């Protein structure tokens, strides 16, 4: 992926993952809204943490995930 396109690709991947976990379409995931406001709980955040570790080999603290995708 072209370096200029990476942020959009990462966001697209995150929205798909979050949507899958929340049981909703990726397009309905608003990056600026905290995931807790969209219905994500701590167990779902752990599921997302695990998926991100598996998908792209990064560790993101659950607290960060619960705050939102753009924080």
């Amino acid at each position: 992926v072209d370096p200029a396109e990476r942020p959009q690709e990462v966001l697209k991947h995150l929205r798909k993952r979050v949507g899958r976990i929340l049981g909703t379409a990726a397009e309905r995931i608003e990056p600026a809204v905290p995931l807790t406001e969209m219905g994500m709980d701590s167990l779902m955040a752990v599921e997302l943490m695990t998926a991100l570790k598996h998908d792209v080999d990064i560790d993101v603290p659950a607290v960060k995930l619960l705050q939102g995708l753009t924080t």
Side-chain angles (χ1 to χ4, degrees), residues 15-71:
R15 290 175 80 187
K16 283 171 42 176
R17 264 298 179 191
V18 170
R20 199 172 305 142
I21 291 169
L22 292 176
T24 192
E27 298 78 30
R28 297 194 62 194
I29 304 302
E30 180 56 47
V33 175
L35 297 176
T36 53
E37 289 182 24
M38 288 187 259
M40 184 168 282
D41 61 25
S42 58
L43 291 176
M44 291 173 169
V46 170
E47 182 179 350
L48 181 56
M49 269 182 15
T50 302
L52 292 175
K53 179 67 175 169
H54 177 266
D55 294 348
V56 291
D57 197 29
I58 60 169
D59 291 310
V60 181
V63 171
K64 282 290 205 188
L65 292 173
L66 290 170
Q67 290 174 346
L69 299 179
T70 58
T71 57

